[in-house]
């Protein structure tokens, strides 16, 4: 079937405005440039960075121009190839990450072929769309904290890891990946998600609404040699207090400027306890590995809610509320 000339998309045309700032528009279908593929979109997943860019957190660098079609986690079917792309063909089902150029809240989107991987039939479009940013962040966060996934982590790397905000998009993957690496996992979440996080494989679960949970203290008295901090606003002194005296790394998925300065100072002074800010650098081989785990049933995706493109504002608002269990997805073919 021929690709249409125009498509439905959701855009914003200025900083701020939240969900109400999103507008439904009819725009031309983009053309793939060199090294890109054009996807007929099936699903896109929203990440906090999407609405943080809208808020102006990365102003004046992002977005590159207005109006802007947000969201970079994509799942769809290849319909057209840019020049130089030889590893895909029209009809291939794929997942991709298109950051910072976005484009996911639309019926068609272009994506870099270098960050596009095949989606096997065992992994749904909705599951696939959730993996690139959140799954990739969870994996890189644990690696940054010293965890290895080649079977040696238990002998040379960390043994006890703390995962904060363990019921969220990144956190729920981090718990599962840490268990796959053979670690003892203590996890924090809200009271309503304690059983959910335990079901992901966490050995100990802390309700952050209790004094012990707020202090990040392990019920068994363990100190952590690694922390995967997926929660916003946890100060470095709180993380430092629960790291083992022998040292360890707290990898932070939501770092601010202060975290970067703290990290630089610690490196300069050879500190035993370190804060490591994560700047996600998507890698194709990691995406393929995560998809492989999902195909084998070893990495489960929990979807908080699904929304059709016509109600993308609802998905955006739900993400901004910050209480999603798992991931929030917009489906292009979803029921209205």
């Amino acid at each position: 079937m021929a690709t249409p000339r125009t498509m439905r998309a959701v855009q914003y045309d200025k900083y701020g405005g939240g969900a109400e700032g999103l507008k439904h528009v009819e725009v031309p279908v983009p053309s793939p440039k060199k090294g890109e593929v054009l996807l007929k979109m099936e699903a896109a997943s929203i990440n906090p960075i999407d609405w943080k860019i809208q808020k102006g957190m990365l102003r004046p660098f992002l977005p590159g121009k207005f109006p802007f079609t947000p969201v970079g986690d994509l799942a769809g079917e290849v319909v057209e190839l840019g020049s130089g792309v030889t590893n895909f063909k029209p009809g291939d089902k794929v997942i991709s990450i298109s950051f910072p150029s976005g484009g996911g809240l639309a019926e068609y989107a272009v994506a870099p072929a270098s960050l596009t991987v095949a989606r096997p039939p065992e992994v749904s479009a909705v599951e696939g769309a959730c993996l690139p940013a959140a799954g990739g962040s969870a994996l890189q966060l644990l690696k940054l904290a010293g965890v290895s996934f080649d079977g040696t982590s238990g002998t040379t790397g960390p043994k006890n890891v703390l995962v904060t905000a363990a019921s969220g998009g990144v956190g729920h993957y981090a718990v599962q990946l840490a268990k796959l690496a053979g670690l003892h996992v203590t996890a924090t979440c809200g009271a309503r998600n304690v059983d959910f996080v335990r079901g992901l494989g966490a050995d100990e679960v802390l309700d952050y609404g209790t004094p012990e949970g707020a202090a990040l203290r392990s019920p068994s008295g363990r100190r952590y040699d690694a922390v995967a901090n997926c929660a916003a606003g946890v100060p470095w002194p709180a993380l430092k207090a629960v790291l083992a005296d022998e040292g360890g790394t707290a990898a932070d998925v939501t770092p601010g400027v202060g975290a970067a300065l703290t990290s630089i100072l610690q490196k300069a002074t050879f500190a035993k306890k370190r804060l490591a800010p994560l700047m996600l650098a998507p890698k194709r081989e990691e995406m393929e590995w995560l998809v492989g785990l999902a195909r084998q049933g070893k990495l489960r995706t929990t979807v908080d809610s699904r929304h059709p493109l016509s109600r993308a504002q609802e998905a955006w608002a739900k993400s901004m509320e910050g209480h999603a269990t798992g991931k929030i997805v917009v489906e292009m073919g979803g029921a209205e």
Side-chain angles (χ1 to χ4, degrees):
M1 200 167 76
T3 304
R5 295 176 64 179
T6 63
M7 65 177 185
R8 292 184 304 145
V10 175
Q11 300 181 331
Y12 56 86
D13 55 14
K14 61 180 183 295
Y15 289 114
E20 292 178 4
L22 300 180
K23 295 179 170 58
H24 291 266
V25 294
E26 188 89 10
V27 294
V29 171
S31 297
K33 299 185 179 72
K34 182 179 180 180
E36 293 180 335
V37 291
L38 177 66
L39 305 182
K40 186 177 193 296
M41 288 293 294
E42 295 175 301
S45 75
I46 295 175
N47 294 291
I49 189 65
D50 294 318
W51 48 263
K52 287 178 180 176
I53 290 173
Q54 183 200 29
K55 275 188 165 183
M57 191 180 91
L58 297 175
R59 180 193 302 205
F61 307 107
L62 295 177
K65 63 177 181 179
F66 292 119
F68 179 66
T69 305
V71 180
D73 274 1
L74 320 174
E77 180 180 319
V78 176
V79 291
E80 198 178 319
L81 307 176
S83 63
V85 178
T86 57
N87 50 336
F88 294 105
K89 63 185 186 303
D92 286 349
K93 300 284 190 176
V94 298
I95 67 169
S96 187
I97 185 165
S98 173
F99 184 83
S101 49
L105 291 188
E107 292 178 304
Y108 291 85
V110 290
S114 60
L115 290 173
T116 299
V117 302
R119 176 177 68 78
E122 298 90 343
V123 180
S124 71
V126 166
E127 292 171 309
C130 294
L131 283 169
S137 291
L139 179 58
Q140 291 189 15
L141 197 64
L142 289 165
K143 286 182 175 181
L144 192 58
V147 179
S148 60
F149 291 87
D150 56 5
T152 63
S153 197
T155 52
T156 59
K159 295 175 180 59
N160 297 312
V161 65
L162 169 69
V163 179
T164 62
S167 59
V170 177
H172 93 290
Y173 286 133
V175 170
Q176 296 176 74
L177 291 171
K179 288 309 297 178
L180 285 171
L183 276 63
H184 181 280
V185 177
T186 302
T188 72
C189 62
R192 68 188 175 94
N193 284 317
V194 166
D195 289 340
F196 165 69
V197 171
R198 199 168 276 125
L200 295 173
D203 299 284
E204 301 177 316
V205 184
L206 292 168
D207 168 8
Y208 61 66
T210 65
E212 296 77 19
L216 309 176
R217 283 197 298 268
S218 163
S220 60
R222 295 170 189 260
R223 301 284 282 280
Y224 315 111
D225 35 27
V227 177
N229 182 38
C230 307
V234 180
W236 164 239
L239 299 172
K240 183 179 180 182
V242 294
L243 282 168
D245 291 338
E246 298 77 36
T249 299
D252 190 355
V253 81
T254 59
V257 175
L261 295 174
T262 298
S263 177
I264 292 166
L265 182 62
Q266 289 164 351
K267 283 180 182 173
T269 57
F270 302 100
K272 282 186 182 178
K273 299 184 182 185
R274 290 192 179 184
L275 181 65
L278 176 73
M279 296 301 291
L280 175 66
K283 295 178 181 173
R284 181 183 183 143
E285 60 271 22
E286 290 184 346
M287 287 171 61
E288 289 175 334
W289 187 74
L290 291 167
V291 169
L293 290 179
R295 184 180 62 78
Q296 297 166 50
K298 293 180 178 177
L299 185 66
R300 305 196 311 274
T301 294
T302 295
V303 177
D304 178 277
S305 56
R306 304 178 181 204
H307 310 259
L309 184 62
S310 61
R311 300 219 297 271
Q313 287 99 325
E314 293 174 10
W316 199 263
K318 193 162 184 57
S319 180
M320 290 186 75
E321 287 167 11
H323 300 298
T325 301
K327 294 287 294 170
I328 297 167
V329 177
V330 175
E331 292 182 274
M332 306 321 151
E336 296 298 321

